[in-house]
Amino acid sequence: MLTIDVDVIRLTLHILAATIWVGGQIVLVALMGTLRRAAPQAIAPAARAYAWVAWPAFALLVLTGFWNLQVSGRMSPGGMDGGYGTTLIVKMVLVVLSGLGAALHTFAKKPALKGFWGTVGLVGALGATLFGVSLSFPG
Ligand code: HEM
């Protein structure tokens, strides 16, 4: 059997946090129609309950993300060659958009603004996932 070492744990934590942050948002969107019809008063408490796992997951993504970079030696001179640095910058912009969109979605009062920031947050999260996977195939 292959070993489960600290590198496997590090990447598992990064991916697990991404599944909570990204997957949780997708599940919430999928449930929204039913909740609106069957239990509109449950939407706000459900979103708050999800936030208790989502934000720790986001913090874990950032921590394990920098840990990934440090262990991969990408932080050392020349480590960002071959388009890796550009891909990482694009990913960081998407990570910031994802966090900012989710935060502004929480505080927005008008439904249109709530929808807009929620979409920015989710698109950022999906994009960060795509560019995250591409970092794993630097060629
Ligand atoms: C919304 C936030 C984030 C999401 C959704 C996300 C998602 C992912 C995913 C899906 C992978 C692919 C893992 C694999 O299959 O090998 C990945 C890899 C990676 N991520 Fe993230 N990530 C996020 C934040 C960050 C941050 C903040 C950093 C750095 C500061 C980072 C650095 C990395 C690195 C370096 C890899 C490559 C790991 C390797 O090749 O072993 N990520 N990310």
Side-chain angles (χ1 to χ4, degrees):
M1 200 168 105
L2 298 174
T3 44
I4 306 241
D5 57 13
V6 73
D7 288 332
V8 176
I9 302 289
R10 168 177 48 79
L11 202 54
T12 301
L13 288 175
H14 196 66
I15 294 168
L16 185 62
T19 61
I20 295 169
W21 179 251
V22 188
Q25 292 181 43
I26 294 170
V27 170
L28 267 186
V29 171
L31 292 179
M32 209 44 81
T34 308
L35 282 174
R36 271 205 193 107
R37 263 178 277 114
Q41 75 287 358
I43 293 176
R48 274 198 297 275
Y50 166 62
W52 278 103
V53 285
W55 287 108
F58 188 73
L60 187 60
L61 268 172
V62 174
L63 281 176
T64 52
F66 280 105
W67 189 11
N68 286 342
L69 277 182
Q70 194 244 322
V71 168
S72 64
R74 295 285 175 181
M75 307 275 243
S76 43
M80 295 280 175
D81 290 354
Y84 193 96
T86 315
T87 305
L88 184 65
I89 288 170
V90 173
K91 178 172 168 175
M92 289 305 102
V93 170
L94 290 163
V95 168
V96 169
L97 275 182
S98 172
L100 203 68
L104 292 173
H105 168 80
T106 303
F107 294 117
K109 293 274 174 278
K110 289 187 188 153
L113 271 184
K114 243 192 183 334
F116 174 76
W117 287 120
T119 306
V120 168
L122 184 54
V123 169
L126 291 170
T129 306
L130 179 69
F131 283 87
V133 173
S134 95
L135 288 178
S136 295
F137 298 96

